[in-house]
Amino acid sequence: MFKLFKQLYLQKRVYIVLGCIIALFVLAFIFPILYNVVWGIFLLLFVTVLVDITLLFTKKDNINAVRILPEKLSNGDDNVIYISVENKYNITIHCTIIDEIPFQFQKRDFEINRTIASKELKTISYNLRPTERGEYIFGKLNVYISSPLKLISRRLIFCDQANLATYPSFIQMKKYDLMAFSKNKYTYGMKKIRKIGNTTEFEQIKEYVLGDDIRNINWKATAKSSQLMVNQFQDENTETIYNIIDRGRVMQMPFKGLSLLDYAINSTLALSNVILKKNDRVGLMTFNENITNQLPAEGKISQLQKVMEQLYRVQTNFVESDFGKLYAHIRHKITHRSLIILYTNFESLSSLNRQLPYLRAIAKNHVLLVVFFENTELTKLTQKKAKNSDDIFDKVIAEKFNFEKRLIVNELTKYGIQSILTAPEDLSINTINKYLQIKAKGSL
């Protein structure tokens, strides 16, 4: 009996009818003829509620519900959560589903209403978009069922607490994986890059045999040996790419719920997947006042999982990043020429000038690609129609900052440093395009 009362909830229409009955009882003091009629209505309500209770509580296992979760959540993407509900009653029921979703989403009004026919199995889905990496805890799955009378609800609880990890955007990674190797990639913004020269490097000089390309004849060696000698080439060696992420305070700026740091992390994962598919080696490093999350460059398939695990653990703070320490570490640890992709952000030319000596020093021994971000909010402000003097002032300031961003690109180019100035949402596609362009040109 106690369990029954714990599961039983009166619906809103019962309270409305009871309120009307109370009002009629008050009127019955003025009009006594209503007294017996009101009691009749009250008894009818009481009997109807008993019938409703009987319909819902006759059996224990007439409803079965289960929450179906993915193995992990993808940060910054819509992740689909499924709820399967089976109605074993002989009547159509109305379900109100309240899932105890993780507190990080701050959804206080989550509710799903569905009508399920007798003996029907219905699968319901909803989307969750996490904006933080880490552990997410799902609580109980609460299902409130009511009969067609809709006077009472029976509360049933399913599913124990479930912990789910949120990783960098592997959904985005898979999307760009398909785009990078599909015939229709150009419609998504991927660029076709024509290779200049050939894709081989010198291996040795050998004697000419029938079938060798006469264009490869080495005339100097031929003159010395008095017989035809040709240059033999081998396929170009794989290249080494390091993704380096600035996790200092400049990367904390939020856009559409994600910080610049998370955009950089998602892009790094997508790019690492493409790099490995192109048979190159990929490594990882993050820095602020210290160098952390170091992962030596490798070309194995298992490297992608290592990159994902390292990115999952990236923590940040609001300190100023030490580019001097980064340069010293690169000089000591990365001894052969590599492509260094540096994710950071510069809001002004003065902030670049403070770090430019270190960037130039890195670019002497490596191909350096600096990736930084457009301030899309300022861009929207420049496009907004000014209605008063304050709006004009805001537009002028916004245009000044946008112009400084373009000056930063010019300043980097002047010293032979490549750069990408991109909106956060276009970061992955622009970075992948730039990598493919550098690889096709043979800049390494």
Side-chain angles (χ1 to χ4, degrees):
M1 182 62 69
F2 178 72
K3 185 178 180 181
L4 183 146
F5 282 108
K6 283 186 66 177
Q7 295 181 351
L8 191 149
Y9 290 83
L10 297 178
Q11 293 224 28
K12 185 178 180 180
R13 62 176 59 184
V14 175
Y15 293 104
I16 293 173
V17 174
L18 285 174
C20 294
I21 290 173
I22 291 171
L24 289 173
F25 270 121
V26 173
L27 288 175
F29 282 100
I30 303 172
F31 306 103
I33 193 172
L34 294 176
Y35 187 74
N36 291 329
V37 176
V38 177
W39 270 110
I41 296 172
F42 178 76
L43 289 174
L44 179 62
L45 174 64
F46 181 75
V47 171
T48 308
V49 169
L50 287 179
V51 171
D52 208 1
I53 292 173
T54 303
L55 288 172
L56 293 177
F57 287 86
T58 48
K59 295 182 180 179
K60 292 182 178 180
D61 301 320
N62 275 343
I63 290 291
N64 185 36
V66 61
R67 182 202 298 124
I68 303 171
L69 296 172
E71 292 183 4
K72 52 184 177 288
L73 297 176
S74 178
N75 192 30
D77 298 311
D78 286 331
N79 298 262
V80 183
I81 310 297
Y82 294 97
I83 297 175
S84 178
V85 183
E86 183 180 7
N87 176 18
K88 298 180 182 179
Y89 282 100
N90 294 320
I91 58 172
T92 298
I93 62 168
H94 178 78
C95 284
T96 298
I97 301 170
I98 300 177
D99 197 1
E100 296 177 1
I101 62 177
F103 72 89
Q104 288 95 332
F105 296 102
Q106 292 296 302
K107 288 190 176 182
R108 308 291 184 180
D109 56 349
F110 182 88
E111 183 178 299
I112 299 174
N113 293 285
R114 292 290 187 276
T115 299
I116 305 177
S118 174
K119 310 301 180 183
E120 181 185 2
L121 175 64
K122 181 168 285 189
T123 300
I124 303 160
S125 66
Y126 65 91
N127 293 333
L128 292 177
R129 182 179 180 267
T131 55
E132 300 175 9
R133 286 164 290 111
E135 189 176 61
Y136 286 64
I137 301 175
F138 287 80
K140 303 291 185 181
L141 178 62
N142 301 279
V143 180
Y144 294 83
I145 60 172
S146 57
S147 72
L149 296 174
K150 293 185 179 181
L151 294 176
I152 68 161
S153 293
R154 180 182 180 185
R155 180 192 180 190
L156 298 171
I157 299 175
F158 301 93
C159 301
D160 293 327
Q161 179 175 296
N163 296 355
L164 209 57
T166 297
Y167 277 80
S169 180
F170 53 85
I171 291 178
Q172 186 183 105
M173 176 194 74
K174 293 175 182 177
K175 180 179 74 172
Y176 290 124
D177 182 14
L178 294 173
M179 287 168 54
F181 300 97
S182 69
K183 294 180 181 179
N184 299 321
K185 60 187 177 181
Y186 313 120
T187 60
Y188 296 95
M190 299 290 287
K191 296 179 181 178
K192 183 178 180 180
I193 306 298
R194 189 165 70 91
K195 174 73 174 180
I196 299 174
N198 53 47
T199 58
T200 58
E201 63 178 17
F202 178 78
E203 182 181 14
Q204 64 177 350
I205 300 173
K206 71 178 188 69
E207 294 182 9
Y208 175 84
V209 295
L210 189 63
D212 284 340
D213 191 343
I214 60 174
R215 292 175 297 180
N216 294 330
I217 293 176
N218 188 318
W219 295 108
K220 288 185 178 180
T222 298
K224 290 179 181 179
S225 61
S226 301
Q227 57 181 337
L228 282 176
M229 304 294 290
V230 295
N231 294 329
Q232 182 174 336
F233 297 90
Q234 64 178 358
D235 288 338
E236 190 178 67
N237 288 330
T238 57
E239 295 159 351
T240 302
I241 295 89
Y242 274 90
N243 291 295
I244 301 180
I245 302 174
D246 181 353
R247 55 187 184 88
R249 62 177 182 83
V250 297
M251 298 292 280
Q252 298 308 304
M253 190 179 295
F255 287 95
K256 295 184 179 179
L258 291 177
S259 67
L260 296 182
L261 177 66
D262 281 310
Y263 279 107
I265 287 172
N266 291 343
S267 173
T268 296
L269 184 61
L271 178 60
S272 297
N273 183 47
V274 174
I275 290 170
L276 292 171
K277 292 293 176 65
K278 292 293 185 180
N279 298 317
D280 286 336
R281 295 185 295 270
V282 64
L284 176 68
M285 195 183 302
T286 66
F287 77 103
N288 50 12
E289 78 275 27
N290 294 309
I291 311 299
T292 53
N293 303 102
Q294 301 175 58
L295 188 64
E298 290 184 9
K300 300 176 182 177
I301 296 298
S302 59
Q303 183 77 346
L304 187 63
Q305 184 62 33
K306 294 178 183 178
V307 169
M308 183 179 288
E309 292 297 333
Q310 288 290 337
L311 293 174
Y312 173 74
R313 290 195 291 267
V314 171
Q315 300 296 328
T316 186
N317 50 35
F318 291 89
V319 302
E320 188 76 23
S321 297
D322 191 340
F323 280 74
K325 186 172 290 186
L326 173 66
Y327 162 66
H329 187 84
I330 290 174
R331 185 175 181 182
H332 178 66
K333 293 293 184 180
I334 308 178
T335 55
H336 55 280
R337 186 173 176 82
S338 305
L339 170 59
I340 306 293
I341 302 176
L342 174 61
Y343 296 89
T344 185
N345 196 36
F346 299 111
E347 286 297 325
S348 64
L349 195 58
S350 60
S351 63
L352 170 69
N353 289 332
R354 290 197 299 270
Q355 314 302 344
L356 191 56
Y358 305 113
L359 299 179
R360 291 177 62 186
I362 295 172
K364 285 182 180 179
N365 300 315
H366 304 280
V367 176
L368 177 60
L369 173 61
V370 177
V371 183
F372 62 109
F373 299 88
E374 293 178 4
N375 193 323
T376 53
E377 296 301 318
L378 290 180
T379 304
K380 290 178 183 177
L381 195 59
T382 60
Q383 298 169 352
K384 184 179 177 181
K385 186 176 180 180
K387 297 180 179 179
N388 50 52
S389 58
D390 288 341
D391 290 345
I392 295 173
F393 180 77
D394 291 339
K395 285 191 68 172
V396 170
I397 296 299
E399 288 171 357
K400 176 182 179 295
F401 277 104
N402 281 347
F403 180 68
E404 281 214 32
K405 290 278 188 177
R406 295 191 291 273
L407 288 179
I408 291 172
V409 174
N410 293 337
E411 190 71 11
L412 290 170
T413 304
K414 185 169 70 174
Y415 294 105
I417 300 172
Q418 301 190 54
S419 63
I420 300 175
L421 174 60
T422 177
E425 59 267 25
D426 299 328
L427 174 62
S428 294
I429 190 70
N430 288 339
T431 309
I432 292 172
N433 274 332
K434 193 67 175 180
Y435 156 71
L436 294 175
Q437 181 183 8
I438 293 172
K439 183 175 176 64
K441 287 183 176 180
S443 301
L444 288 175

